[in-house]
DNA sequence: ATGCTGCCATTAGTAAAACAATGCCTTGGT
DNA sequence: ACCAAGGCATTGTTTTACTAATGGCAGCAT
């Protein structure tokens, strides 16, 4: 069944011959002799069981079978040429562009990046931040997005397995003490971030604390700024475990209660499909997934 | 520049090796020896200027470059396999299905079909009639459509270059005489066909005969039936030169006036793109376009 | 008609793969 | 620890494929 595919070099000769309708010119293009082409076509016709060319006294003409066959063959070979050039073309050492939102970069990616730089010191990197929704600029080789991993036209790899986690400074402004239980949150400023489906309202709801007004507080458009404000003692932010780990370890933030609520959304590596077309992209993808799997539960 | 493409046989070995991650198994699949695969990969890596596999003590692993390269290579080769099978697979002598509307079949295609049958006595044919609009049944290999030749997903080849031409029987019912000029059409029954943009209203308008009521008369859903009724003396039908030629020659119809109005629409051969995948289809396409070019003006 | 030219097929010789056999390295089992 | 097995690289030999040269055929120009 798989045996049906003839030697691909023969198909290349066929494609060139069909284009020129002339074995001699096809041979020149492929840096071979006319005799070689002639034999290859003969072999191809023998294997396929029917003629591809009509031999005219002055040149060639495609048979019906040849005419039916050539478009698919041409497309495939053309694609091989394009792909080969994309992957191994001249600009081998171009910089890799990664679109990643600010908070993920600062609190997850940046601390690990030294490892990638060490493994691939020759790969130039460029980071551009998207706040939330991807603009349709196709300039990034890969993106890191927050969501459920379902984006048409992209293959996605999950990077984080988060719980929602309230965080605040160990020392709050106004001489307040950090809340000892969720009930006490009504006495604190809630730091909200727009753009996440699962915010304070969701978290309080999950724990049954309906008495706290989840709409009071201050709103930010990035978890980055909200966490910074929390660290400065302005209130309590609702972070994600993967993003808070760093600041919790350093003591700039504390997690006043241990009520793990899993998130339905998480961070994903999103790669445009059919565009795995540069070794640097693959290197970064591979490294990033590897890093993520170190944190994977179980 | 074109020289960038390595020998395609090497790529085939690469594809199989990447799939098995094992030269020995890849060699078995391609009916070659492990040594040959090893050498081909080595050659490929040399030409591309970088390694595709990491040689591990126990098997292989793709490098970043290999991982970036393999999807395009695999797709192309897969496509070649599919196309080869489609064109030269087992059911080599299946019947060719042509969707064509009734009037075009009877008055244009049928008279010429003997020529095709003579050239290709082995090709089985099946005709299905569409009245006007194509149903989305993809069962036809090719279609003949009336329109402007712009259908997404189809490549089209123009088959006719028509004028609108009023026709009627030389002997009308009710002892009427055929009209001598368009003015006299108001005394005759107009035979309309729905589905054509350019009907009696258009024709009379183009010639400035606004005094004739273009809405009176009898309506049909196929020019076929309208022409038959005209031949039986029931009135005057608005035909197309390419479709009336036959009956005009036989004397069953006459064209009472010589006022050529070119049509914006015409008959086209419509072939689904990327589906030129059978020699029989190509044979029919080729023959049909040849036939049409015989009638082409200039 | 005649000779010239372009183009494909064929044949014999040579260069290039594929084969067969062997070596080396690592892993996994006893 | 040691032996067996799996797997890739390497070497010399054989087969395959390419080359170079020649012949044949049909247009085209003189």
């Amino acid at each position: 069944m798989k045996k049906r595919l003839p030697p691909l070099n023969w198909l290349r000769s066929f494609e060139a011959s069909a284009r020129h309708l002339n074995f001699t010119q096809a041979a020149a293009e492929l840096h071979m002799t006319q005799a070689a082409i002639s034999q290859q076509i003969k072999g191809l016709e023998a294997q396929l069981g029917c003629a591809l060319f009509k031999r005219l006294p002055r040149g060639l003409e495609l048979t019906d079978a040849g005419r039916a066959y050539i478009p698919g063959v041409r497309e495939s070979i053309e694609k091989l040429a394009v792909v080969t050039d994309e992957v191994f073309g001249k600009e081998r050492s171009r910089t890799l562009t990664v679109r990643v939102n600010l908070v993920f970069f600062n609190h997850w990616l940046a601390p690990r990046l030294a490892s990638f730089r060490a493994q691939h010191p020759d790969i130039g990197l460029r980071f551009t931040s998207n706040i939330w929704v991807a603009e349709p600029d196709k300039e990034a080789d890969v993106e890191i997005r927050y969501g459920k991993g379902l984006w048409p036209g992209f293959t996605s790899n999950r990077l984080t397995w988060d719980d929602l986690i309230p965080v605040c400074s160990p020392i709050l402004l106004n001489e307040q003490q950090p809340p000892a239980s969720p009930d006490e949150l009504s006495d604190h400023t809630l730091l909200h971030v727009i753009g996440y489906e699962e915010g304070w309202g969701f978290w309080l709801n999950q724990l049954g604390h309906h008495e706290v007004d989840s709409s009071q507080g201050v709103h930010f458009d990035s978890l980055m700024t909200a966490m910074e404000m929390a660290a400065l003692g302005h209130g309590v932010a609702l972070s994600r475990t993967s993003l808070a780990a760093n600041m919790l370890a350093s003591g700039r933030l504390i997690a006043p209660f241990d009520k793990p609520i899993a998130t339905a959304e998480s961070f994903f590596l999103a790669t445009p499909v059919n565009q795995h077309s540069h070794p640097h992209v693959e290197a970064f993808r591979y490294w990033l997934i590897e890093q993520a799997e170190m944190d994977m539960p179980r």
Side-chain angles (χ1 to χ4, degrees), chain A:
Chain A
M1 146 142 209
K2 209 70 176 180
K3 184 63 186 66
R4 301 223 62 79
L5 196 55
L8 299 194
N9 287 342
W10 293 5
L11 292 182
R12 195 176 179 196
S13 296
F14 169 59
E15 195 276 333
S17 301
R19 195 146 27 79
H20 293 110
L21 290 177
N22 181 322
F23 287 169
T24 310
Q25 290 174 36
E29 175 182 314
L30 299 178
H31 306 103
M32 304 199 307
T33 57
Q34 169 270 130
I37 302 288
S38 174
Q39 288 180 126
Q40 290 198 350
I41 300 297
K42 196 208 251 179
L44 186 58
E45 290 175 324
Q47 172 160 345
L48 295 176
C50 78
L52 296 168
F53 291 104
K54 276 178 230 159
R55 274 72 167 176
L56 304 180
R58 204 69 166 202
L60 298 170
E61 189 183 311
L62 282 166
T63 62
D64 298 321
R67 214 175 303 117
Y69 197 28
I70 191 65
V73 172
R74 177 164 299 151
E75 270 180 55
S76 301
I77 293 180
E78 181 58 32
K79 172 156 203 170
L80 282 174
V82 167
V83 163
T84 303
D85 190 59
E86 273 180 8
V87 178
F88 303 98
K90 52 242 60 186
E91 45 144 1
R92 295 288 317 287
S93 56
R94 72 184 173 80
T95 64
L96 174 66
T97 300
V98 181
R99 174 180 288 151
V100 51
N101 68 47
L102 211 51
V103 65
F104 188 83
F105 182 82
N106 269 28
H107 292 125
W108 196 100
L109 190 50
R112 293 161 218 252
L113 212 51
S115 142
F116 182 77
R117 298 288 300 160
Q119 278 181 40
H120 302 278
D122 52 321
I123 298 186
L125 287 169
R126 191 179 70 156
F127 293 96
T128 74
S129 58
N130 61 345
I131 297 299
W132 284 113
V133 134
E135 304 113 63
D137 311 356
K138 292 270 290 181
E139 22 177 332
D141 295 304
V142 297
E143 299 186 26
I144 292 170
R145 299 181 174 190
Y146 192 76
K148 297 198 169 131
L150 299 170
W151 295 284
F154 289 80
T155 58
S156 52
N157 301 86
R158 187 164 183 174
L159 297 177
T160 62
W161 288 261
D162 290 324
D163 290 329
L164 294 171
I165 180 174
V167 293
C168 62
S169 168
I171 303 158
L172 293 168
L173 299 183
N174 310 325
E175 295 159 7
Q176 273 191 314
Q177 290 300 311
S181 86
D183 302 306
E184 297 179 20
L185 280 173
S186 45
D187 303 326
H188 289 76
T189 304
L190 296 186
L191 304 176
H192 298 271
V193 184
I194 61 175
Y196 289 95
E197 281 189 14
E198 299 155 333
W200 274 118
F202 172 79
W203 188 84
L204 290 163
N205 245 313
Q206 289 287 304
L207 291 176
H209 291 277
H210 302 291
E211 72 281 2
V212 180
D213 177 8
S214 66
S215 68
Q216 61 90 5
V218 186
H219 292 253
F220 302 88
D221 73 343
S222 164
L223 186 49
M224 180 72 206
T225 43
M227 284 173 69
E228 193 61 28
M229 287 294 276
L232 295 174
H234 287 270
V236 187
L238 186 62
S239 186
R240 275 71 184 154
T241 40
S242 64
L243 300 176
N246 233 29
M247 292 176 82
L248 290 173
S250 74
R252 287 195 69 203
L253 287 177
I254 61 168
F257 1 93
D258 182 27
K259 308 276 190 188
I261 302 289
T263 56
E265 301 186 306
S266 61
F267 288 93
F268 283 86
L269 168 64
T271 317
V273 292
N274 298 330
Q275 197 202 312
H276 297 207
S277 38
H278 200 284
H280 293 178
V281 176
E282 284 307 310
F284 188 75
R285 275 171 53 84
Y286 195 78
W287 171 84
L288 199 60
I289 292 166
E290 201 176 59
Q291 292 293 312
E293 281 174 353
M294 290 182 188
D295 294 348
M296 196 165 57
R298 261 156 298 143

